[in-house]
Amino acid sequence: MGYGGGVERKWVFPIVITSLICVFLLATSFNMGLISSVNTINLLASSLLHGHAVMNQTSHISTPSPPPPPPKFAYLISGSRGDLEKLWRTLHVLYHPWNYYVVHLDLEAPLEERLELARRVKNHTLFRQVGNIYMNEKANMVTYRGPTMVSNTLHACAIFLRRIRDWDWFINLSASDYPLVTQDDLIHTFSSLERNLNFVEHTSDLGWKATERGMPLIVDPGLYERNKSDIFWADPKRNLPTAFKLFTGSAWTVLSRAFVDFCIWGTDNLPRTLLMYYTNFVSSPEFYFQTVICNSPRFISTVVNHDMHFISWDDPPQQHPRTLTLNDTGDMLESGAPFARKFKMNSAVLRKIDVEVLWRKNESFVPGGWCKGKPKCSKVGNPTKLRPGPGAERLKKLINKLMSDRVTQPPCT
């Protein structure tokens, strides 16, 4: 009803004007000639209606929509016994008021360390002001070779999905990780990417892992005990699955919100089926997300085959990667990766990265466009103001190569 009334009012003015012109010209038509008057009426009416149509078209010209805001990252930073200071340092170098963070010290860490981390987060002036850091006070037991690391990662994903709406990518890191680019570099570079992309290193070529990982059955005491202990083996071995295809890769990922939502809340039962399957699997963190995403037709086209990390392994590879030193600096930067692992606390290579790569001083935050106040970065300015540097160029080079590789090497094959 309201729509029809609008249409009627829109035509009132031109109809009234046309009627007045008709009356005037009709009264004078006997002097000027009837045929001439009719032609004049038609001309004037046509001009009036054309002008009204042009005016309507002009009023409906759409303005271009503004660009989307910069992407936001949701970080999980986990640690264990003795990792309090390492985690606190990693949190500072990764901090940006535009992002979100869950920090977690597992159940093996002494209660005093967990309470101290919670106290620091709560009492930090800037953290309290921005309110984008969450301490997971429900400590989980985490053992790398069992499924508890996957469970802990999914726990953080659920926290982000439940508490925060406006994040784009989830990144899981440990206290032994360290960034090789600033957060301004990372946000700036990812701003040009489709936000459904998932950076998951993967391969279906299992090699020795087919028999040494895919077939053994294990039990992880971390699922039911409060003290950390190694997995133990069960008999008999099982066959490789036929209901889905196994994929393996890195435990470290950059996952889109859409894929995280699929794993936690999705109506497809595959993520839950695979979670139960990997409960009795050796080193399940290196398989779970790879197998879920590569067996999900909806997400296969979103996979980028990289974990966004620089990691150096012994030859032959051991259970854990090499600890990085100053000798690895050139290779780290040449890789273009935004993160590297693993590092010792207060090592010389971390000090070098702070000063020469991140421009971080006095154990404070990494400077960025958001930084205000004295001392620098003690207050938050505009969190969307970015000042990308050389790290953005290195990362962009890596991503361009990865995108090019996707054309010739389709994911999950």
Side-chain angles (χ1 to χ4, degrees):
M1 182 174 178
Y3 178 82
V7 171
E8 291 174 0
R9 289 192 295 273
K10 183 170 65 174
W11 286 100
V12 168
F13 179 73
I15 291 172
V16 170
I17 294 300
T18 304
S19 300
L20 290 175
I21 293 173
C22 289
V23 171
F24 173 76
L25 293 177
L26 185 62
T28 59
S29 64
F30 295 100
N31 296 327
M32 300 175 61
L34 184 58
I35 300 300
S36 175
S37 298
V38 171
N39 290 336
T40 305
I41 291 170
N42 289 337
L43 180 62
L44 289 172
S46 177
S47 299
L48 184 61
L49 293 175
H50 176 70
H52 184 71
V54 170
M55 205 166 61
N56 276 344
Q57 291 174 5
T58 304
S59 65
H60 288 295
I61 294 177
S62 60
T63 57
S65 57
K72 293 188 175 186
F73 295 94
Y75 282 97
L76 165 65
I77 310 173
S78 296
S80 188
R81 175 184 294 272
D83 285 342
L84 172 62
E85 298 303 333
K86 288 172 64 177
L87 191 151
W88 190 244
R89 178 175 184 164
T90 300
L91 174 61
H92 273 72
V93 296
L94 288 170
Y95 185 77
H96 194 290
W98 191 243
N99 295 330
Y100 299 101
Y101 304 83
V102 165
V103 292
H104 173 258
L105 284 175
D106 70 23
L107 201 57
E108 189 185 32
L111 177 61
E112 294 76 15
E113 290 187 3
R114 303 201 302 271
L115 291 175
E116 174 62 15
L117 178 60
R119 185 194 68 78
R120 291 185 187 185
V121 171
K122 180 180 179 180
N123 294 336
H124 192 287
T125 303
L126 193 140
F127 292 168
R128 186 172 63 248
Q129 173 191 341
V130 180
N132 62 338
I133 298 179
Y134 304 93
M135 169 73 182
N136 185 2
E137 297 180 357
K138 176 65 175 177
N140 300 309
M141 178 59 72
V142 178
T143 54
Y144 183 79
R145 293 214 295 168
T148 48
M149 180 178 171
V150 175
S151 174
N152 186 60
T153 301
L154 293 174
H155 186 189
C157 289
I159 291 173
F160 284 126
L161 287 174
R162 190 63 178 265
R163 301 189 62 166
I164 307 165
R165 296 183 180 275
D166 61 336
W167 56 272
D168 300 282
W169 277 288
F170 169 82
I171 302 176
N172 63 322
L173 300 174
S174 78
S176 296
D177 288 80
Y178 216 69
L180 302 176
V181 300
T182 70
Q183 290 302 289
D184 278 13
D185 292 334
L186 189 68
I187 295 170
H188 169 78
T189 306
F190 271 69
S191 294
S192 63
L193 299 179
E194 295 179 8
R195 302 193 183 183
N196 66 337
L197 293 177
N198 292 276
F199 294 84
V200 181
E201 182 192 74
H202 64 277
T203 179
S204 61
D205 183 9
L206 302 185
W208 61 270
K209 290 185 178 181
T211 55
E212 299 300 319
R213 294 287 186 265
M215 299 181 72
L217 282 169
I218 62 99
V219 176
D220 183 3
L223 292 173
Y224 55 87
E225 291 185 353
R226 294 186 61 86
N227 296 319
K228 185 179 291 189
S229 58
D230 198 10
I231 60 175
F232 61 85
W233 306 82
D235 288 320
K237 291 187 175 182
R238 58 183 166 186
N239 296 327
L240 294 176
T242 58
F244 46 83
K245 187 175 183 179
L246 293 181
F247 288 81
T248 186
S250 171
W252 313 103
T253 59
V254 179
L255 305 178
S256 70
R257 184 185 177 107
F259 180 65
V260 170
D261 185 89
F262 172 77
C263 291
I264 302 295
W265 304 119
T267 56
D268 192 313
N269 202 38
L270 178 67
R272 284 171 287 277
T273 299
L274 291 178
L275 186 62
M276 289 187 285
Y277 172 78
Y278 280 117
T279 299
N280 304 112
F281 199 97
V282 184
S283 299
S284 54
E286 298 174 2
F287 286 80
Y288 177 71
F289 287 115
Q290 288 80 4
T291 304
V292 172
I293 202 165
C294 285
N295 284 273
S296 304
R298 174 184 168 190
F299 291 101
I300 288 176
S301 63
T302 70
V303 182
V304 181
N305 197 357
H306 201 281
D307 63 358
M308 294 286 105
H309 270 70
F310 174 86
I311 304 175
S312 179
W313 295 89
D314 291 314
D315 188 14
Q318 304 299 310
Q319 178 66 40
H320 298 286
R322 286 181 48 248
T323 299
L324 300 175
T325 68
L326 282 172
N327 294 332
D328 298 298
T329 305
D331 291 337
M332 281 190 285
L333 299 182
E334 181 66 24
S335 74
F339 307 103
R341 72 183 318 271
K342 59 179 183 172
F343 296 95
K344 288 185 177 179
M345 180 63 185
N346 293 326
S347 63
V349 64
L350 289 184
R351 292 192 292 272
K352 183 179 181 68
I353 292 172
D354 276 353
V355 175
E356 299 182 16
V357 179
L358 304 176
W359 303 295
R360 177 177 181 250
K361 298 179 180 179
N362 302 323
E363 299 183 356
S364 182
F365 299 113
V366 174
W370 64 271
C371 289
K372 295 291 182 182
K374 292 184 178 180
K376 194 172 185 179
C377 302
S378 60
K379 295 183 179 180
V380 176
N382 180 1
T384 64
K385 183 179 180 181
L386 304 176
R387 292 177 179 168
E393 295 298 321
R394 296 193 303 269
L395 179 55
K396 182 65 174 177
K397 182 179 178 182
L398 170 63
I399 288 179
N400 286 343
K401 181 182 182 303
L402 294 174
M403 294 303 171
S404 177
D405 290 345
R406 294 174 81 226
V407 176
T408 57
Q409 302 172 6
C412 299
T413 55

